[in-house]
């Protein structure tokens, strides 16, 4: 059993002094060692400036890329070696290509039973006259869904990178107006005639995607180009009446979710050998080939909005 | 048809090389635009009309417009230069 | 050296284009030209893929008169793949261009060497 010390007794022990020194309550030198009072700190502006100047001069000397002989030598070496490497790459690829089976023949390994099956059964199973459209929107529809999402994500990333806050936006708009052709009569007249034609042509390409060359991507790009021309001729005030951030959000949301749900239904019924409620129609008619036409429309809407959104964001950082 | 394809491919290589040697950024982009157009003709020769129509709309159209907007944004195109504006409107 | 270099001229051109684009990436210091070089490399790959599926004397894969025999049409699979690739390359280009705009607003130059020198000078 240990004996309890009183407070006075404890203050004389080594442990008490040690812990007091450890917690910083008492400095053993103060009062015991002779000391001069400390001077107050005064920042020396001139010295700081001089040091900054010296630092800048050193940096100028170090990063003097114009007069650095070793850097020039390195550049020369870099250029020569990269050209040599590319020549080597060309030679390597050409030698490899010379051993490939000859171009345009049926016996190439690419032309296997997969493509034969797509061609022979494609019209019957998908109802699309254009076999490529039937392939990318029916057999490999998840590919296309991923691609639409790539476009959507790219738009979001560009929006994050180029977004401006409100005051910057106003300033950017003023800057933008300076470069814009203000009410150019020729441009506006041409645009009045051309924009409907371009947009109708885009709609034709989208609606005709399963009957001939075309489809959601190319048609959407044409519609987007028409919108860009309209924007250039008439300015943001007119386009903002029908296309804002909200429009983009809702169009993309509905198109992508419609694509997901429709394709999920068709994959579900296909995988479980169920009867699909979507009629195939007669091949060659405009309302045929089951889901391909609505999916084309969905993809076209996403692409057109994305193209317009890219342009608007590049112009003034937002739309 | 083979001779036509070979001519088109020669044009492709010429365009690709002259992009690297052009001093002006605007010229480089215009040459790239013509590269895409030649490419879309080549798709027709290779019996892929789907690709041709997409390349003409996307490669020659949208990509070049994006390049032009970027150049204008970074003030590489002089605002008083009338040609620069026309190119954008051609889309 | 194999026997088929001149028969495969399409693939040979695509290899040369690929290397031109790659040289552009290595040697150009201007960011916009680098992006164009990357786009040229893209196009070369697409040309290579489309050449793979081409079969001489056959028509585009669009059914005419209900004939669905595999001897009539070219291979549709490379067309589908390239179609996907073209659209993805546009979004990649837009992304790179927006990054270029950000870099320009920060450093006021498009020269990659100058940008890296400025970065080092600032001690980052």
């Amino acid at each position: 059993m240990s004996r309890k010390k009183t407070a006075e007794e404890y203050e004389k022990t080594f442990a008490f002094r040690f812990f007091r020194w450890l917690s910083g309550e008492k400095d053993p030198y103060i009062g015991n060692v002779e000391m001069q009072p400390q001077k107050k700190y005064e920042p020396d502006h001139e010295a700081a400036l001089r040091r900054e100047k010296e630092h800048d001069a050193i940096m100028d000397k170090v990063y003097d890329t114009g007069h650095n002989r070793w850097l020039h030598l390195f550049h020369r070496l870099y250029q020569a070696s990269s050209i040599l490497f590319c020549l080597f790459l060309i030679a390597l690829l050409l030698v490899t290509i010379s051993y490939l089976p000859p171009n345009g023949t049926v016996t190439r390994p690419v032309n296997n039973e997969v493509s034969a099956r797509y061609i022979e059964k494609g019209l019957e199973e998908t109802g699309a006259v254009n076999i490529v459209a039937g392939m990318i929107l029916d057999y490999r529809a998840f590919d296309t869904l991923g691609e639409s999402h790539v476009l959507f994500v790219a738009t979001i990333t560009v929006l994050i990178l180029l977004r401006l806050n409100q005051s910057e936006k106003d300033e950017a708009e003023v800057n933008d107006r300076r470069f814009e052709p203000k009410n150019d009569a020729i441009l506006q007249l041409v645009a009045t005639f051309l924009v409907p034609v371009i947009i109708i042509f885009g709609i034709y390409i989208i609606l005709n995607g399963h009957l001939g060359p075309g489809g959601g991507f190319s048609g959407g790009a044409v519609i987007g180009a028409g919108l860009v021309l309209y924007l250039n001729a008439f300015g943001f005030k007119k386009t903002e009446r029908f296309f804002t951030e909200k429009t983009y959000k809702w169009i993309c949301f509905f198109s992508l979710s419609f694509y997901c749900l429709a394709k999920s239904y068709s994959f579900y019924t296909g995988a479980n050998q169920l009867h699909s409620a979507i009629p195939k129609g007669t091949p060659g008619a405009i309302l045929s080939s089951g889901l391909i036409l609505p999916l084309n429309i969905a993809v076209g809407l996403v692409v057109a909005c994305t193209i317009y959104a890219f342009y608007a964001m590049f112009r003034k950082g937002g739309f | 048809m083979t001779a036509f394809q070979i001519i088109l491919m020669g044009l492709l290589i010429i365009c690709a090389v002259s992009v690297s040697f052009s001093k002006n950024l605007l010229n480089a982009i215009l040459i790239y635009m013509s590269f895409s157009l030649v490419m879309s003709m080549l798709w027709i020769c290779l019996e892929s009309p789907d690709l041709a129509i997409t390349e003409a709309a996307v490669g020659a159209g949208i990509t070049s417009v994006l390049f032009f907007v970027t150049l204008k944004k970074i003030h590489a195109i002089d605002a008083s230069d009338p040609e620069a504006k026309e190119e954008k409107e051609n889309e | 050296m194999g026997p088929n270099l001149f028969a495969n001229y399409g693939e040979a051109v695509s290899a040369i284009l690929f290397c031109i684009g790659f040289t552009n990436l290595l040697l150009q210091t201007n960011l916009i030209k680098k992006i164009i070089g990357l786009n040229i490399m893209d196009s070369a790959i697409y040309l290579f893929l489309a050449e793979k599926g081409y079969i001489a004397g056959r028509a585009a894969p669009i059914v005419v008169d209900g004939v669905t025999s595999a001897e009539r049409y070219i291979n549709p699979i490379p067309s589908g793949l390239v179609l996907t690739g073209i659209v993805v390359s546009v979004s990649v280009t837009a992304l790179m261009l927006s990054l270029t705009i950000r870099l320009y607003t920060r450093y006021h130059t498009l020269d990659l060497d100058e940008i890296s020198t400025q970065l080092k000078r600032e001690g980052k």
Side-chain angles (χ1 to χ4, degrees):
Chain A
M1 193 181 137
S2 66
R3 192 165 54 88
K4 197 180 172 189
K5 284 183 178 170
T6 56
E8 271 173 36
E9 239 176 307
Y10 177 65
E11 272 174 17
K12 283 175 189 162
T13 59
F14 173 75
F16 170 74
R17 275 178 283 148
F18 176 71
F19 282 112
R20 205 164 55 147
W21 172 75
L22 198 67
S23 62
E25 275 170 31
K26 191 187 178 244
D27 192 341
Y29 291 118
I30 290 180
N32 297 331
V33 181
E34 194 179 338
M35 271 195 234
Q36 282 184 344
Q38 222 169 21
K39 252 190 247 165
K40 225 181 166 188
Y41 172 69
E42 280 172 10
D44 190 355
H45 287 291
E46 268 183 26
L49 267 180
R50 206 171 53 232
R51 237 171 293 144
E52 212 166 273
K53 251 183 215 162
E54 272 170 17
H55 182 257
D56 273 359
I58 291 171
M59 282 302 170
D60 277 338
K61 192 85 181 163
V62 170
Y63 294 109
D64 181 14
T65 49
H67 297 99
N68 195 330
R69 215 157 49 84
W70 286 105
L71 203 66
H72 276 292
L73 213 65
F74 172 74
H75 270 296
R76 282 286 150 77
L77 192 71
Y78 175 75
Q79 282 175 349
S81 55
S82 49
I83 285 174
L84 275 180
F85 174 72
C86 285
L87 287 178
F88 170 71
L89 198 63
I90 287 184
L92 194 71
L93 288 176
L94 286 185
V95 169
T96 316
I97 280 165
S98 70
Y99 283 106
L100 290 178
N103 191 12
T105 52
V106 192
T107 50
R108 299 190 125 192
V110 190
N111 306 317
N112 51 13
E113 67 275 5
V114 179
S115 63
R117 153 87 204 216
Y118 280 156
I119 292 172
E120 276 161 7
K121 293 284 172 70
L123 183 64
E124 185 189 315
E125 284 176 354
T126 67
V129 175
N130 184 356
I131 295 172
V132 176
M135 203 187 85
I136 62 171
L137 285 169
D138 200 299
Y139 291 114
R140 302 181 167 218
F142 267 135
D143 252 21
T144 316
L145 178 63
E147 189 185 348
S148 311
H149 278 104
V150 166
L151 275 175
F152 184 58
V153 170
T155 328
I156 293 170
T157 321
V158 172
L159 183 63
I160 291 169
L161 282 172
L162 295 181
R163 179 165 225 166
L164 304 166
N165 56 29
Q166 201 54 49
S167 62
E168 279 177 320
K169 201 183 234 173
D170 293 341
E171 198 180 306
E173 215 160 315
V174 171
N175 267 342
D176 199 53
R177 280 293 125 96
R178 208 151 48 84
F179 289 114
E180 200 171 278
K182 225 173 269 161
N183 295 328
D184 191 323
I186 300 173
L187 179 61
Q188 286 189 351
L189 189 67
V190 171
T192 330
F193 283 106
L194 270 186
V195 169
V197 178
I198 292 174
I199 289 181
I200 285 173
F201 180 59
I203 292 171
Y204 159 76
I205 292 177
I206 290 181
L207 294 185
N208 220 28
H210 53 299
L211 303 178
F217 297 116
S218 32
V222 172
I223 292 180
L227 286 175
V228 169
L229 175 60
Y230 183 78
L231 172 60
N232 265 327
F234 297 103
F236 277 103
K237 280 244 168 61
K238 288 251 170 117
T239 52
E240 269 162 9
R241 284 190 312 197
F242 62 88
F243 197 102
T244 56
E245 215 159 322
K246 232 177 220 165
T247 331
Y248 175 75
K249 197 166 69 187
W250 287 113
I251 285 178
C252 273
F253 171 67
F254 278 119
S255 304
L256 291 175
S257 50
F258 167 73
Y259 194 116
C260 273
L261 292 177
K263 246 10 246 188
S264 304
Y265 173 73
S266 104
F267 277 121
Y268 181 75
T269 55
N272 293 314
Q273 310 280 332
L274 296 172
H275 175 70
S276 173
I278 301 154
K280 287 275 184 289
T282 48
I286 187 92
L287 286 175
S288 69
S289 70
L291 272 175
I292 292 180
L293 180 64
L295 292 187
N296 254 336
I297 294 173
V299 173
L301 281 175
V302 172
V303 174
C305 293
T306 306
I307 301 290
Y308 176 80
F310 275 157
Y311 185 77
M313 279 184 297
F314 273 80
R315 273 286 291 276
K316 62 164 195 177
F319 51 105
Chain B
M1 207 60 174
T2 316
F4 186 56
Q5 275 188 41
I6 289 174
I7 293 171
L8 286 183
M9 285 172 179
L11 274 177
L12 278 187
I13 291 180
I14 292 172
C15 286
V17 171
S18 53
V19 162
S20 5
F21 285 107
S22 76
K23 290 268 180 285
N24 191 345
L25 277 184
L26 189 61
N27 280 348
I29 291 164
L30 287 177
I31 292 165
Y32 177 68
M33 203 170 168
S34 58
F35 176 91
S36 286
L37 276 179
V38 174
M39 203 69 171
S40 82
M41 277 192 264
L42 200 56
W43 296 132
I44 295 273
C45 292
L46 293 176
E47 300 288 349
S48 326
D50 285 278
L51 296 185
I53 204 165
T54 311
E55 177 87 31
V58 167
I62 303 303
T63 313
S64 323
V65 169
L66 289 182
F67 272 117
F68 286 133
V69 184
T70 312
L71 277 200
K72 205 195 78 172
K73 195 86 182 169
I74 61 182
H75 310 293
I77 296 181
D78 190 5
S80 61
D81 185 7
E83 279 180 14
K85 266 176 205 156
E86 271 169 26
E87 286 313 323
K88 211 170 351 139
E89 264 44 293
N90 278 345
E91 188 36 55
Chain C
M1 206 68 175
N4 291 330
L5 182 61
F6 291 104
N8 289 339
Y9 59 92
E11 272 108 336
V13 167
S14 79
I16 294 171
L17 281 180
F18 184 86
C19 290
I20 292 172
F22 195 61
T23 322
N24 251 352
L25 271 189
L26 285 178
L27 289 182
Q28 300 282 354
T29 52
N30 193 310
L31 282 169
I32 299 250
K33 285 201 178 170
K34 269 187 201 277
I35 296 173
I36 294 179
L38 202 70
N39 271 318
I40 288 174
M41 281 167 79
D42 273 353
S43 299
I45 300 283
Y46 303 150
L47 181 60
F48 186 78
L49 280 176
E51 283 279 349
K52 292 252 124 194
Y54 177 67
I55 301 168
R58 295 197 184 175
I62 293 168
V63 177
V64 185
D65 302 332
V67 183
T68 57
S69 83
E71 274 79 56
R72 267 290 286 280
Y73 308 108
I74 66 161
N75 192 344
I77 298 175
S79 302
L81 297 181
V82 174
L83 201 59
T84 312
I86 289 178
V87 179
V88 170
S89 84
V90 176
S91 34
V92 171
T93 310
L95 194 57
M96 289 192 290
L97 285 174
S98 58
L99 279 171
T100 311
I101 292 179
R102 291 300 289 187
L103 275 177
Y104 185 83
T105 48
R106 175 80 174 73
Y107 294 104
H108 299 285
T109 176
L110 283 181
D111 198 318
L112 201 58
D113 286 351
E114 263 179 51
I115 290 176
S116 63
T117 315
Q118 278 191 33
L119 262 178
K120 274 183 204 144
R121 273 195 73 144
E122 286 163 13
K124 279 170 194 163

